[in-house]
Amino acid sequence: MNTSVNIQNTQSLSYRLKHETASEHERMHQLMAKADVFSSQEQYGKFTLSQYYFQKEIENLFDKEGIAELIPDLGIRGRSDKALQDLSDLNIQPQGQSLQTEHIKLPEALGWIYVSEGSTLGAAFLFKEAQKKLGLSESYAARNLAAYPEGRAKVWKRFVEALDDSGFDPKLQNRVVQGALDAFEYFGQALIQLKELK
Ligand code: HEM
């Protein structure tokens, strides 16, 4: 076995993000189960509002210095437009929220974007639930959960490559991981306070 390859693998940014935020991902599962977002159209509407506001935070980061150089296909990413169309299907008009990511820059911004992009993988499961339990689809109210036209896995693989090509040293990587933990915290709070979202 080539141990040097192995060591490098365990230190890649994507590896660190996956493993050092695993408990937060697990917490999201629990919060999602508790929020029971497919129990009614009203509850799903609240969840879609949370997705919309989260995507607005993420897309704000796309414009930050250095991000477009690291992630060349930013144009296909981000789902706030889709979430907004979904909200319109559900007759919900978001009242707006002040941005919490205003002062976030690289490298933390990359961690936030990681959480958003990773969540497109879990959305495969959520999309099926939205179809099955509420009769929604990629053209009605569940656009934000549908796969990217190229397919979830392909777009995710390209994002992971971008993470690992960033060339960040361990200290910069620590800050990306912190950004991801902050993004999970943000989304977790949104799930906890789902009922208050407007
Ligand atoms: C019930 C809800 C959810 C389910 C069932 C779910 C499921 C999944 C699945 C199956 C994967 C792929 C795992 C793998 O390939 O190893 C994944 C990845 C991921 N999910 Fe979720 N997820 C859920 C909620 C969320 C939420 C709410 C977020 C964040 C806001 C999130 C963030 C992520 C991230 C960042 C990854 C990438 C992990 C990696 O680095 O490979 N997930 N999820």
Side-chain angles (χ1 to χ4, degrees), residues 47-184:
F47 173 65
T48 308
L49 267 175
S50 75
Q51 294 276 56
Y52 171 70
Y53 289 125
F54 184 48
Q55 289 302 309
K56 292 298 272 186
E57 300 284 358
I58 296 299
E59 287 164 20
N60 171 55
L61 298 174
F62 287 179
D63 298 331
K64 301 283 172 152
E65 198 182 335
I67 291 286
E69 286 73 23
L70 280 175
I71 314 167
D73 61 355
L74 274 182
I76 63 147
R77 301 183 187 270
R79 284 160 280 138
S80 80
D81 282 353
K82 299 225 179 293
L84 191 59
Q85 287 177 57
D86 291 337
L87 288 170
S88 167
D89 292 337
L90 299 166
N91 291 318
I92 297 170
Q93 173 72 42
Q95 293 185 8
Q97 273 189 354
S98 54
L99 280 176
Q100 294 192 26
T101 52
E102 199 64 76
H103 302 294
I104 292 172
K105 298 184 288 205
L106 264 181
E108 286 80 0
L110 196 54
W112 278 77
I113 298 170
Y114 158 80
V115 174
S116 170
E117 287 304 314
S119 72
T120 64
L121 302 177
F125 167 79
L126 302 180
F127 185 60
K128 281 189 194 134
E129 293 282 286
Q131 287 176 304
K132 199 169 72 185
K133 296 197 173 147
L134 296 171
L136 310 180
S137 71
E138 62 196 2
S139 55
Y140 180 76
R143 296 173 175 87
N144 82 94
L145 299 175
Y148 286 123
E150 289 173 84
R152 296 180 204 272
K154 198 170 172 185
V155 178
W156 172 247
K157 187 166 171 268
R158 229 167 37 225
F159 181 72
V160 168
E161 280 164 9
L163 286 176
D164 292 338
D165 287 348
S166 62
F168 287 167
D169 65 23
K171 279 193 177 154
L172 290 174
Q173 288 188 355
N174 289 346
R175 291 176 55 191
V176 179
V177 172
Q178 186 56 53
L181 293 171
D182 293 343
F184 273 120

